[in-house]
Amino acid sequence: MDFPPGFRFGTATAAYQVEGAVHEDGRADSIWDTFTRVPGAVANGDTGDVACDHYHRWREDLDLMAELGLESYRFSIAWPRVQPDGRGAVNPAGIDFYRRLVEGLAERGIEAVATLYHWDLPQALQDTGGWAARDTTERFAEYAALVADALGDGVAQWITHNEPWVVTFLGHVEGVMAPGVRDWPTALRVAHHLLLSHGRALEVLRERSSAPVGITLNLTPARPASTAEDDAVAARRLDGYFNRWFLDPVLTGAYPADLLERYREHVGPLDAVRDGDLEVIGAPIDFLGVNYYFPVAVRAAPGEGPLEARTAEPSPPLTAMGWPIDPAALHELLLRVRRDYGDIPIAITENGAAFEDPAPAEGVVEDPDRVAFLDGHLGAVARAAADGVDVRRYFAWSLLDNFEWHLGYAKRFGIVRVDYETQQRVPKRSALWYRDLIRISRAKR
Ligand code: IFM
């Protein structure tokens, strides 16, 4: 595989999934602390209270990254550590953790890529309306300013939000993620405020930092499940729901007209959108973060929900999440983004897979399925680059096995195994494979 000059390889994590230490150094509850206490909300009653204990073991984890030759690390900042109530002064102990982390990365020659919001809204802000309240967008801008002022040029790249689709629809329609709401009109308000807060944070970061700023969207290719015309039309609708509802406002400054009309008709007026918002949301970004896991096949489902579409049972091979494995769809997706939105620099900010890993033997976990997954998807990225897509980074999800949200600790995405009893880290074969790939690619530069 050949990657463009300057291409960087990394891994990604998110604060609530790895840090633990939820009551330390002034951190207050986030909506995920609250949600994990709801009986039945999370598999096995798991919580992020301890997670991978990264808050205490970050040095060891950074050393591990250095040993693997990782060039870039995408982590997220926990808003309730930095600004426990989501407003007011910075919490010095909380921000110090990230200052040390960023310095530790610099000492090891690893680039710091910081995501401001990976789903852990301070509970105090949920209590005043959460993302459904317009004021939360201003709180987010204030938080972005505090972080930018404190971490300054230690951060090489900023990502405002991670996967606003998940926050919107899994958090506010399906209700399987925090805050566990089930209401379409609320969800559309939330989506708009997430996007607006992205735009507001972008303005703030531009004033305070010279580092590139982007947003990470989880993009889900939606293909018709058959050659029937109504399945093709339904697939276009789901493409709007998954992808264009976020891509279009950020990259073209407008919501997609077909979905606007459908939501107006089937959900109600988009009352959150005010004059001038779309200019803020559509201000130019420096790169687009793409999280890719799998595509979906779509069937028309007349009368079912606002979208009248459903996804078909996926066909094998599947990961332990039941997600189909389809690297070709990543190649296609990257070309599509370029075709429809122009030559924007792209970072694959997440890609990876959960499998039923065997126990470690002789100091390593053999995970051939994950090796094949990474191989296939990195190959797709390399092909897209050869076809002219300006793709600059790849972050494997994830560095460590971690708290997989409502599925708890049972699903393991790490290239490094975590034994949750002892907190011992054991590299999987995929980590060693990735290390070798990075080494070989570097030698070619
Ligand atoms: O673990 C998540 C991550 O937090 C966001 N993107 C998808 C991953 C796997 O489900």
Side-chain angles (χ1 to χ4, degrees), residues 124 142 148 166 217 254 412:
E142 186 183 287
V166 171
L217 304 179
R412 293 177 175 271

PDB file of all heavy atoms in Angstrom, residues 124 142 148 166 217 254 412:
ATOM      1  N   ALA A 124     -25.270  19.294  34.075  1.00  0.00           N
ATOM      2  CA  ALA A 124     -25.890  20.585  34.426  1.00  0.00           C
ATOM      3  C   ALA A 124     -26.491  21.250  33.187  1.00  0.00           C
ATOM      4  O   ALA A 124     -27.516  21.937  33.281  1.00  0.00           O
ATOM      5  CB  ALA A 124     -24.855  21.497  35.068  1.00  0.00           C
ATOM      6  N   GLU A 142     -18.063  28.991  24.476  1.00  0.00           N
ATOM      7  CA  GLU A 142     -17.286  29.448  25.637  1.00  0.00           C
ATOM      8  C   GLU A 142     -16.287  28.360  26.076  1.00  0.00           C
ATOM      9  O   GLU A 142     -15.125  28.642  26.368  1.00  0.00           O
ATOM     10  CB  GLU A 142     -18.273  29.755  26.767  1.00  0.00           C
ATOM     11  CG  GLU A 142     -17.684  30.372  27.993  1.00  0.00           C
ATOM     12  CD  GLU A 142     -18.778  30.544  29.060  1.00  0.00           C
ATOM     13  OE1 GLU A 142     -19.640  31.427  28.901  1.00  0.00           O
ATOM     14  OE2 GLU A 142     -18.773  29.769  30.036  1.00  0.00           O
ATOM     15  N   ALA A 148      -9.033  26.252  24.030  1.00  0.00           N
ATOM     16  CA  ALA A 148      -8.042  26.791  23.090  1.00  0.00           C
ATOM     17  C   ALA A 148      -7.039  27.666  23.837  1.00  0.00           C
ATOM     18  O   ALA A 148      -5.831  27.591  23.589  1.00  0.00           O
ATOM     19  CB  ALA A 148      -8.734  27.580  21.989  1.00  0.00           C
ATOM     20  N   VAL A 166     -25.064  10.482  15.611  1.00  0.00           N
ATOM     21  CA  VAL A 166     -25.310   9.570  16.738  1.00  0.00           C
ATOM     22  C   VAL A 166     -25.988  10.325  17.882  1.00  0.00           C
ATOM     23  O   VAL A 166     -26.974   9.862  18.463  1.00  0.00           O
ATOM     24  CB  VAL A 166     -23.996   8.911  17.213  1.00  0.00           C
ATOM     25  CG1 VAL A 166     -24.203   8.154  18.515  1.00  0.00           C
ATOM     26  CG2 VAL A 166     -23.450   7.978  16.146  1.00  0.00           C
ATOM     27  N   LEU A 217     -17.775  13.453  10.980  1.00  0.00           N
ATOM     28  CA  LEU A 217     -19.103  12.900  10.704  1.00  0.00           C
ATOM     29  C   LEU A 217     -18.972  11.399  10.497  1.00  0.00           C
ATOM     30  O   LEU A 217     -18.010  10.942   9.874  1.00  0.00           O
ATOM     31  CB  LEU A 217     -19.686  13.537   9.426  1.00  0.00           C
ATOM     32  CG  LEU A 217     -19.784  15.076   9.434  1.00  0.00           C
ATOM     33  CD1 LEU A 217     -20.357  15.559   8.099  1.00  0.00           C
ATOM     34  CD2 LEU A 217     -20.642  15.577  10.591  1.00  0.00           C
ATOM     35  N   ALA A 254     -26.256  24.762   3.416  1.00  0.00           N
ATOM     36  CA  ALA A 254     -27.718  24.609   3.249  1.00  0.00           C
ATOM     37  C   ALA A 254     -28.121  23.188   3.616  1.00  0.00           C
ATOM     38  O   ALA A 254     -27.370  22.241   3.361  1.00  0.00           O
ATOM     39  CB  ALA A 254     -28.109  24.886   1.797  1.00  0.00           C
ATOM     40  N   ARG A 412     -15.113  -5.405  22.006  1.00  0.00           N
ATOM     41  CA  ARG A 412     -13.714  -4.962  22.068  1.00  0.00           C
ATOM     42  C   ARG A 412     -13.241  -4.473  20.697  1.00  0.00           C
ATOM     43  O   ARG A 412     -13.141  -5.251  19.765  1.00  0.00           O
ATOM     44  CB  ARG A 412     -12.846  -6.129  22.560  1.00  0.00           C
ATOM     45  CG  ARG A 412     -13.119  -6.517  24.012  1.00  0.00           C
ATOM     46  CD  ARG A 412     -12.281  -7.726  24.418  1.00  0.00           C
ATOM     47  NE  ARG A 412     -12.438  -8.035  25.829  1.00  0.00           N
ATOM     48  CZ  ARG A 412     -11.691  -7.512  26.813  1.00  0.00           C
ATOM     49  NH1 ARG A 412     -10.716  -6.671  26.526  1.00  0.00           N
ATOM     50  NH2 ARG A 412     -11.910  -7.847  28.068  1.00  0.00           N
TER      51      ARG A 412
END
